[in-house]
Amino acid sequence: MAIYVKPRSNNIFLLPIILFVLFCLICSSSESEAITNNVGITADLIHGDSPLSPFYDPSLTRFQRVTNALRHSLARRRSIRSNNSKSSPPEVSLTPVSGFYLMKMQVGDPPIELMGIADTGSDLMWTQCAPCSRCYKQKTPIFDPKKSKTYDTVSCKSQECQSLRFEHPSCENTTNGCRYELYYASRAYTSGDLATETFIFDQNLAFSKIVFGCGHKNYGGSLGTSSGIVGLGGGPVSIIRQLKKYYSIDAKISYCLPHPNSNVSSKINFGSNAVVTGPKVMSTPLVKKEHDTFHYVTFEGISVGNNKLAFKSKESRKTVEEGNMFIDTGSTYTYLTTDFYFKFLFALDKALNGTPTANPEGGFQVCYEKPANGKFNSPTITAHFRGGVDLVLSPDATFVEVNKGVVCLAMLPDFSNDLVLGNSQMINYLIGIDLENQKVDFLPTNDCTNPN
């Protein structure tokens, strides 16, 4: 049975305390201790290519998964670049074929399971809903709002509807309900009703009146078989902001991304569970920009071994633009500006003893032959961020084997000014995005199942 938590009223958040007292009266001491030790929110996080994933396709080789991840990452980046203007936020491509992470939770009463893509580059959380005028196939059951006791539509005049500035809100003529429409790259889209529902996370914590998109018309050519999207951006309708607004839960998340080929899942945490602590924690400031969806940080350069390369903005070769990179769990690979990328490659080539070769599948810019002994010795590559943050990148994630005997650099060039920190370069770190204190914390770890 889930423990239901209702939204706060008149700025007084007493119900969780009452629930806690009642729970202690009816449960054993060990059970009550478990609840008090989990005052935040936690959900399962798993890579879509992991054998533990419901989307795992055993017929694909590991090389095919790398190629699929590259195609997804390139499509997403093209979409961000083409839509990144002052009049509208970047619209991103979400291609759950490979290279993404899934977040598991439940929705409705009675609840059904959702497996949505955890995406720091989106705000609105949405899932496919019955009846479907057009829906794609998904692994988990499609949510039917008529079967849920807690489903309700959102009024067109509501504050939540008005906040959908870039989701193309409109009014449903007969009910005056709020409708949304979201377009992604590769012709993927979703449209339907803006609604509220009960969402259940780990520890059976249920939160009512969470705003989400109930999609009745969805095209899923690039959405695979996922349930939809879990928006982890900084905008007003993201799940992070809603938990803060309606439940006074700190606007913080933390996650640790396991390696795609691992047989482990990890956790994504919200609120007090998302605090990242320890003597090795490194922190860099979040930078506010015009569009609040993306989590921007300031990238200062990269080191190849002991050779440090400083990054300078295109507008001024003497300074670093604040907030020049955003953290994107939906992109597999990291993107650098073209001029800096080739400067980095020159330093990398000098430090490597590898034999350059072409990737037979195309896409990656720089590839090398893998030695006969099976060990590709890469120099230590470190990314530098404002505040003295030095991220030593995982060799296994920085150079990926794309074909038998061929390894390629999992970092790519881009002509736009925005740089992207992709999820491959976040592997082996517990990352905390703290919107309360406007910072991002990084804690190195070799075990995502127990990162602290």
Side-chain angles (χ1 to χ4, degrees), residues 214-268:
C214 193
H216 296 288
K217 188 177 182 181
N218 315 286
Y219 177 73
S222 64
L223 295 175
T225 55
S226 69
S227 302
I229 305 302
V230 182
L232 300 172
V237 294
S238 77
I239 186 65
I240 304 172
R241 291 296 190 188
Q242 288 194 64
L243 290 172
K244 171 66 176 181
K245 180 178 180 180
Y246 300 120
Y247 293 94
S248 296
I249 294 173
D250 284 348
K252 301 176 181 180
I253 62 170
S254 69
Y255 54 87
C256 185
L257 303 182
H259 196 279
N261 298 325
S262 66
N263 289 318
V264 300
S265 62
S266 61
K267 301 291 184 180
I268 181 168

Side-chain angles (χ1 to χ4, degrees), residues 80-248:
I80 292 173
R81 184 175 62 242
S82 63
N83 289 282
N84 196 1
S85 66
K86 292 184 178 181
S87 60
S88 64
E91 291 180 349
V92 294
S93 166
L94 294 158
T95 313
V97 175
S98 203
F100 61 95
Y101 287 84
L102 296 161
M103 178 175 160
K104 184 170 73 173
M105 54 185 166
Q106 294 178 308
V107 61
D109 183 11
I112 70 166
E113 185 177 280
L114 296 182
M115 291 290 285
I117 300 169
D119 183 28
T120 56
S122 297
D123 286 329
L124 181 66
M125 176 170 60
W126 65 268
T127 189
Q128 295 197 116
C129 289
C132 285
S133 60
R134 183 177 186 178
C135 281
Y136 58 87
K137 292 182 180 180
Q138 66 178 58
K139 288 277 187 178
T140 54
I142 291 179
F143 175 65
D144 187 349
K146 291 183 180 179
K147 295 181 179 179
S148 175
K149 302 174 185 177
T150 51
Y151 177 86
D152 196 12
T153 56
V154 171
S155 166
C156 192
K157 296 181 180 179
S158 67
Q159 181 181 1
E160 290 81 6
C161 186
Q162 299 303 315
S163 68
L164 298 180
R165 296 171 295 167
F166 306 113
E167 285 82 7
H168 309 287
S170 61
C171 294
E172 210 287 323
N173 294 332
T174 57
T175 65
N176 197 36
C178 180
R179 295 188 62 83
Y180 76 93
E181 194 169 24
L182 263 173
Y183 294 87
Y184 299 94
S186 304
R187 297 182 180 179
Y189 69 89
T190 174
S191 67
D193 299 314
L194 194 69
T196 61
E197 245 308 357
T198 297
F199 285 84
I200 304 173
F201 298 83
D202 280 7
Q203 309 110 349
N204 280 334
L205 290 177
F207 295 85
S208 62
K209 300 296 182 181
I210 297 295
V211 176
F212 78 111
C214 193
H216 296 288
K217 188 177 182 181
N218 315 286
Y219 177 73
S222 64
L223 295 175
T225 55
S226 69
S227 302
I229 305 302
V230 182
L232 300 172
V237 294
S238 77
I239 186 65
I240 304 172
R241 291 296 190 188
Q242 288 194 64
L243 290 172
K244 171 66 176 181
K245 180 178 180 180
Y246 300 120
Y247 293 94
S248 296

Side-chain angles (χ1 to χ4, degrees), residues 275-330:
V275 177
V276 179
T277 60
K280 295 183 179 180
V281 172
M282 300 172 287
S283 301
T284 189
L286 276 171
V287 178
K288 290 186 177 181
K289 302 186 78 169
E290 182 178 2
H291 300 305
D292 51 10
T293 297
F294 287 171
H295 306 296
Y296 286 98
V297 293
T298 304
F299 173 72
E300 294 187 331
I302 202 164
S303 290
V304 180
N306 294 324
N307 184 11
K308 187 173 182 177
L309 310 173
F311 177 80
K312 306 297 181 183
S313 66
K314 289 183 177 180
E315 290 75 15
S316 174
R317 298 293 179 179
K318 297 181 180 180
T319 61
V320 176
E321 179 187 359
E322 296 287 328
N324 55 19
M325 176 178 278
F326 59 88
I327 298 172
D328 189 11
T329 58

Side-chain angles (χ1 to χ4, degrees), residues 369-389:
E369 292 181 2
K370 190 175 183 179
N373 62 9
K375 295 182 180 180
F376 181 77
N377 295 319
S378 165
T380 301
I381 299 175
T382 307
H384 306 288
F385 296 87
R386 183 63 48 86
V389 172

